[in-house]
């Protein structure tokens, strides 16, 4: 390199570092200016009365925030959460989501509280089916009625090392989760308004006004968008052309196709405690057990299985989930008797007249079902006014959505609320997620709304990016999708997972288990930490495979191979060191 080039390079470095320094100083000055006049929110409007909207309303209505909170829900109703067969899925609230419950228990008179308010947690334990091992006990029911039923076995979600916390998780139907959260909202004087469909919003320096389709308007200093994966609020901000501070045309929704995207779900309603024929006898099902029923047909348009998840109440209807590609036969059958006939042929073990009424066959055949969404996240999660006195923030599916295969939808949403709560309190949002309560964290001086939302945005967008990578590669073939490309993909995915499980058993201190298992085994790790570990191992495996290929094709000599193996190992060791240092910190 000539001395001229070196000089030019040095100048460039000098300029860029000076520029970075100036920008940092300017940003600090601007944020100090904004902070000097701004205050914490006193009134909040939550758009969307799903589980995450309601849980956010509860958190913000309680000390230390003590805001006046109004929830605007599009669906009509008198505040009673009713069972809806089109949304009959169950949530598994695992340690990541339970962190929100843990914090909630201890916040009555934050920060000096010794009193524990466990009403909500009590309701979760009353309505939710607690698992004692991984995700509960599963029985896979063979299609052939002559094959005896196997004994149920625990789903342990991984190999060894299952932490005690994995033993805490609760299965709860969506409508019951909404119901217990609504009850808690009433206890904390949250105003719940139904039949309020968000239409638009406008903002000034100190407040945001939400307009609904019925012409009503509501004003608050903070608006929380918890309106699901199509999020009309998020889309409004993205498409807003005005000069308002809340316009966010730069936000993108990054969408990725997963093998589970587009899989369609609909559920056939089974009676409680239904029985499964087993030879000359019958086995009464346990309402808290998981059952997977295999069918006899295996064509790409005819293969169908049934899945039952645990419900605590033995008298509650049991939804039998069907997950199929949109070209499956069940979407072209439009009448009850034909649907029943298809089920009789596919599941000869069952005496169908004993389980399902003619009306239910009719309803099921007409039901349009719901499709699993893209794996998606929003590159923006909050906006605020220049004065820092008003803002809009996204939580839950509004900022990240994915098919339910990794079982983290509700949990990731509850983690958003913990992060929002922490940032509004001025706690360090970037500390590791551990099973602690707020009592262990020292409150810093209350931050301004703008700095709290800035911290939330920075932390969440990075976390959601990692979460979406996990959702794309974690367990996308669990619906036994029948297309040829699904079968090939499932085979390769199984090989990959088996290899990682083997490596993690052989070298437990170096090789992490597959990301989806690590997520469940180590709820104390953030999604970023999980994916960083998985990605490092992927990189090492890719380099090793390339090197072996190179050697095989004669492109590499043995001594090159040796030296590159040494450098790969050094790189891996260094990344482990960094990871462990961070862990120790
Ligand atoms: C087909 C499907 C199946 C799923 N299965 C599972 C599963 O088995 N297990 C699991 O854990 N997760 C599952 N999920 C994910 C899970 O539903 C979500 O992660 C979770 O419900 C997120 O809660 P939320 O409150 O953010 O959004 P939602 O539950 O979607 O709630 C959003 C709320 O906002 C309201 N709303 C929407 N638009 C407006 C508007 N304009 N004005 C006012 N209100 C509005 C809606 O009516 C709704 O009440 C599934 C998702 C889909 C799409």
């Amino acid at each position: 390199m000539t001395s001229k080039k070196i000089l030019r390079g040095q100048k460039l470095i000098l300029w860029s570092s000076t520029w970075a320094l100036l920008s940092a100083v300017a940003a600090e000055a601007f944020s100090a200016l904004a902070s000097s006049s701004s205050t914490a929110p006193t009134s909040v409007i939550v758009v969307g009365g799903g589980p995450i909207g309601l849980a956010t309303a509860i958190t913000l209505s309680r000390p230390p925030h003590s805001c006046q909170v109004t929830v605007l829900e599009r669906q009509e109703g008198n505040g009673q959460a009713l069972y809806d067969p089109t949304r009959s899925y169950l949530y598994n609230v695992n340690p990541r989501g339970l962190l929100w419950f843990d914090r909630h228990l201890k916040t009555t008179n934050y920060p000096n509280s010794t009193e524990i308010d466990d009403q909500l947690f009590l309701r979760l334990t009353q309505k939710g089916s607690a698992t004692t091992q991984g995700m509960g006990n599963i029985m896979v029911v063979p299609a052939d009625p002559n094959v005896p039923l196997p004994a149920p076995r625990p789903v342990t979600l991984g190999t060894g090392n299952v932490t005690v916390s994995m033993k805490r998780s609760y299965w709860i139907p969506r409508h019951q989760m909404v119901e217990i959260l609504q009850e808690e909202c009433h206890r904390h004087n949250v105003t719940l308004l139904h039949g309020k469909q968000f239409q638009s919003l406008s903002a000034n320096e100190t407040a945001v006004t939400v307009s609904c389709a019925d012409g009503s308007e509501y004003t608050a200093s903070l608006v929380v968008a918890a309106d699901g994966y199509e999020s009309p609020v998020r889309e409004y901000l993205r498409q807003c052309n005005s000069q308002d501070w809340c316009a966010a045309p730069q936000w993108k929704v990054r969408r990725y196709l997963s093998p589970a995207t587009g899989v369609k779900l609909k559920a056939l309603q089974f009676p409680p405690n239904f029985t499964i024929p087993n030879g000359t006898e019958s086995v009464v099902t346990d309402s808290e057990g998981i059952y997977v029923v295999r069918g006899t047909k295996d064509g790409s348009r005819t293969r169908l299985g049934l899945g039952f998840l645990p419900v605590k109440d033995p008298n509650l209807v049991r939804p039998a989930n069907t997950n199929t590609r949109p070209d499956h036969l069940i979407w072209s059958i439009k009448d009850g008797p034909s649907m029943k006939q298809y089920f009789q042929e596919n599941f000869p073990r069952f005496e169908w007249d004993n389980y399902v009424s003619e009306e239910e066959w009719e309803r099921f055949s007409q039901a349009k079902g719901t499709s699993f969404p893209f794996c998606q996240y929003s590159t923006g999660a909050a906006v605020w006014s220049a004065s820092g006195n008003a803002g809009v923030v996204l939580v839950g599916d509004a900022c990240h959505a994915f098919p339910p295969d990794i079982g983290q939808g509700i949990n990731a949403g509850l983690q958003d609320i913990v992060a929002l709560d922490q940032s509004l309190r001025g706690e360090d949002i970037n500390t590791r997620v551990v099973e602690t309560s707020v009592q262990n964290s020292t409150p810093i001086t209350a931050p301004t709304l703008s700095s709290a939302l800035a911290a939330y945005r920075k932390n969440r967008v990075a976390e959601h990016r990692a979460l979406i990578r996990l959702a794309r590669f974690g367990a996308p073939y669990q619906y036994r999708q029948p297309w040829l490309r699904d079968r090939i993909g499932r085979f390769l995915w199984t090989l990959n997972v088996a290899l990682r499980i083997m490596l993690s058993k052989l070298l437990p201190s170096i090789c992490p288990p597959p990301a989806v298992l690590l997520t469940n085994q180590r709820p104390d790790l953030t999604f970023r930490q999980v994916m960083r570990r998985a990605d490092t191992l992927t990189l090492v495996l890719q380099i090793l495979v390339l090197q072996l290929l190179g050697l095989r094709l004669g492109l590499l000599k043995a001594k090159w191979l040796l030296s590159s193996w040494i450098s790969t190992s050094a790189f891996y060791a260094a990344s482990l060191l960094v990871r462990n240092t961070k862990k120790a910190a």
Side-chain angles (χ1 to χ4, degrees):
M1 208 188 291
T2 64
S3 56
K4 251 185 183 178
K5 273 187 184 164
I6 295 173
L7 206 65
R8 210 181 306 148
Q10 282 174 343
K11 269 186 188 169
L12 206 69
I13 293 169
L14 196 68
W15 266 113
S16 51
S17 42
T18 313
W19 177 247
L21 193 72
L22 283 174
S23 326
V25 170
E28 274 297 314
F30 181 75
S31 105
L33 202 70
S35 326
S36 58
S37 58
S38 61
T39 55
T42 50
S43 54
V44 175
I45 290 166
V46 178
V47 180
I52 300 306
L54 295 169
T56 313
I58 293 166
T59 292
L60 297 183
S61 68
R62 303 196 63 186
H65 314 297
S66 305
C67 300
Q68 266 194 329
V69 187
T70 304
V71 179
L72 305 176
E73 166 56 42
R74 170 180 64 180
Q75 287 188 336
E76 298 288 343
N78 54 4
Q80 240 195 336
L82 295 176
Y83 177 71
D84 174 2
T86 60
R87 287 180 128 180
S88 58
Y89 41 80
L90 284 100
Y91 296 125
N92 181 256
V93 185
N94 67 30
R96 289 175 187 273
L98 287 172
L99 188 69
W100 177 77
F101 282 85
D102 286 351
R103 287 175 68 86
H104 179 73
L105 291 179
K106 312 261 168 58
T107 51
T108 310
N109 290 312
Y110 181 85
N112 301 318
S113 171
T114 49
E115 191 184 330
I116 290 184
D117 180 356
D118 62 356
Q119 182 62 26
L120 178 61
F121 188 66
L122 187 71
R123 296 292 285 144
L124 178 71
T125 56
Q126 285 169 346
K127 298 277 183 185
S129 170
T131 58
T132 50
Q133 269 293 335
M135 299 189 92
N137 286 328
I138 187 171
M139 180 196 279
V140 180
V141 178
D144 184 348
N146 299 315
V147 178
L149 292 180
R153 59 185 164 79
V155 189
T156 51
L157 279 182
T159 51
N161 219 6
V162 175
T163 56
V164 176
S165 56
M166 253 329 284
K167 294 189 174 171
R168 277 180 80 217
S169 88
Y170 296 86
W171 286 102
I172 182 165
R174 179 190 160 94
H175 74 287
Q176 290 193 327
M177 181 77 179
V178 170
E179 183 186 315
I180 64 171
L181 291 168
Q182 283 183 346
E183 285 169 8
E184 193 67 5
C185 280
H186 292 310
R187 284 182 66 221
H188 297 288
N189 297 323
V190 171
T191 309
L192 298 183
L193 300 176
H194 285 80
K196 297 289 175 188
Q197 179 164 2
F198 165 88
Q199 199 156 52
S200 64
L201 56 79
S202 57
N204 61 34
E205 275 307 307
T206 53
V208 188
T209 299
V210 170
S211 306
C212 295
D214 63 2
S216 53
E217 288 190 342
Y218 302 87
T219 300
S221 45
L222 178 65
V223 168
V224 179
D227 47 352
Y229 75 98
E230 286 171 335
S231 183
V233 174
R234 181 193 67 215
E235 292 310 306
Y236 185 84
L237 298 182
R238 271 168 26 85
Q239 281 150 29
C240 187
N241 297 322
S242 77
Q243 296 301 309
D244 276 357
W245 56 261
C246 64
Q250 75 284 8
W251 284 8
K252 304 230 169 347
V253 178
R254 298 224 187 277
R255 289 200 170 92
Y256 303 90
L257 201 66
S258 128
T261 301
V263 166
K264 289 185 77 177
L265 162 75
K266 66 174 167 178
L268 185 66
Q269 314 300 312
F270 267 55
N273 308 316
F274 68 93
T275 54
I276 307 178
N278 187 23
T280 53
E281 296 171 354
S282 283
V283 170
V284 181
T285 50
D286 169 11
S287 71
E288 300 197 56
I290 302 176
Y291 296 87
V292 172
V293 181
R294 299 269 187 249
T296 52
K297 297 180 189 289
D298 198 33
S300 77
R301 293 187 61 235
T302 53
R303 181 199 271 187
L304 185 73
L306 302 175
F308 299 85
L309 293 171
V311 286
K312 172 99 180 224
D313 183 349
N315 300 315
L316 218 60
V317 64
R318 298 276 327 248
N321 289 329
T322 65
N323 300 300
T324 50
R325 288 283 184 200
D327 64 347
H328 194 279
L329 200 66
I330 61 166
W331 301 107
S332 54
I333 300 176
K334 294 284 181 226
D335 65 285
S338 309
M339 187 64 87
K340 183 175 173 183
Q341 191 190 342
Y342 164 74
F343 270 69
Q344 278 167 335
E345 288 167 10
N346 194 38
F347 303 104
R349 183 182 284 272
F350 288 86
E351 290 287 340
W352 285 98
D353 288 333
N354 298 342
Y355 305 114
V356 182
S357 65
E358 300 307 318
E359 296 79 56
E360 175 58 11
W361 283 121
E362 211 53 47
R363 186 206 63 80
F364 181 75
S365 56
Q366 306 284 330
K368 292 198 173 65
T370 40
S371 295
F372 292 160
F374 283 92
C375 292
Q376 64 178 48
Y377 73 95
S378 168
T379 59
V383 276
W384 52 90
S385 64
S387 69
N389 286 322
V392 182
V393 62
L394 309 186
V395 290
D397 276 21
C399 46
H400 49 75
F402 41 90
D405 18 283
I406 55 167
Q408 298 293 349
I410 190 83
N411 299 297
L414 291 172
Q415 283 193 316
D416 291 339
I417 309 173
V418 171
L420 182 62
D421 181 28
Q422 279 185 307
S423 52
L424 287 169
R425 288 169 192 264
E427 292 174 7
D428 180 6
I429 196 172
N430 290 310
T431 48
R432 280 150 51 87
V433 183
V434 282
E435 285 184 274
T436 56
S437 70
V438 285
Q439 283 183 329
N440 293 348
S441 54
T442 328
I444 307 165
T445 42
T448 59
L449 180 61
S450 51
S451 58
L453 293 186
Y456 174 86
R457 181 181 67 179
K458 188 165 175 235
N459 174 280
R460 288 290 94 189
V461 173
E463 191 62 0
H464 297 159
R465 196 181 302 125
L467 169 64
I468 292 311
R469 279 179 52 65
L470 173 69
R472 289 168 64 199
F473 304 111
Y477 290 106
Q478 63 178 259
Y479 313 102
R480 300 185 82 226
Q481 296 94 311
W483 291 349
L484 180 63
R485 73 162 199 235
D486 297 324
R487 292 178 198 235
I488 296 171
R490 185 181 162 91
F491 174 72
L492 295 174
W493 178 87
T494 311
L495 275 187
N496 182 16
V497 168
L499 173 69
R500 284 168 194 259
I501 289 180
M502 193 185 72
L503 286 174
S504 68
K505 280 191 167 179
L506 287 176
L507 303 165
S509 52
I510 302 180
C511 296
V516 70
L517 297 184
L518 187 61
T519 307
N520 287 297
Q521 289 174 0
R522 294 285 309 274
D524 58 319
L525 296 181
T526 62
F527 293 118
R528 270 171 295 171
Q529 288 168 324
V530 167
M531 290 315 291
R532 210 174 295 137
R533 286 168 198 213
D535 288 344
T536 312
L537 183 58
T538 306
L539 189 69
V540 171
L541 290 175
Q542 282 172 348
I543 292 172
L544 290 181
V545 168
L546 282 178
Q547 287 173 342
L548 285 175
L549 271 179
L551 190 68
R552 186 96 187 92
L553 297 174
L555 301 175
L556 276 179
K557 296 234 161 45
K559 70 175 180 186
W560 283 109
L561 185 70
L562 190 67
S563 65
S564 56
W565 268 2
I566 291 171
S567 53
T568 308
S569 313
F571 170 74
Y572 192 44
S575 68
L576 273 180
L577 198 69
V578 171
R579 180 202 302 170
N580 290 338
T581 317
K582 278 188 183 164
K583 195 169 147 189

